[in-house]
Amino acid sequence: MDTGSDRPGESAVATDLTGAGTGGADEPQKLGSRAPEFVKARRALHLSWQVGVFLIGLAVVVAGIIMLPLPGPGWLVIFAGMAIWATEFVWAQLALRWTKRKVTEAAQKALDPRVRRRNITLTAIGCVIAGALIAVYVWKFGLEMPWNITDQ
């Protein structure tokens, strides 16, 4: 990563407002490569390290995308691939930080009593409607599967 300095291993610093660091919100979180120092000291080795991390992260993200329509934890695997990229690339660190912040905000919003009451009410209404539709079906056709019904 180019930080404007000739010294190897120097990385940019940004403040993490979520307080996810070990020292709380006052501790700055380093952005940039987390490669070992001996790797960062050699340009060719560091570049090959970055290519390797990118390819491994890409394989994990692609596997997660494939799992979205198929059985499997698609989003979890995609975020794992982003975490792999975040060990080396600032853009992935910032994207992961933004995602964590949005998930935290959504979780806080979901815990709001008014939102919970609304969700419970909507779920109850949906269950009543589904139950009524099932009752009408059973009343009209009995316990016969839809593909076995011949006359209506």
Side-chain angles (χ1 to χ4, degrees), residues 56-65 67-68 73-87 91-104:
I56 291 170
L58 182 64
V60 173
V61 168
V62 167
I65 291 172
M67 285 184 207
L68 286 176
W75 285 110
L76 183 67
V77 174
I78 289 172
F79 290 132
M82 287 295 294
I84 291 170
W85 278 339
T87 63
W91 60 267
Q93 292 168 0
L94 295 175
L96 211 53
R97 184 182 296 169
W98 178 84
T99 303
K100 286 178 184 177
R101 187 173 60 243
K102 290 299 179 183
V103 167
T104 303

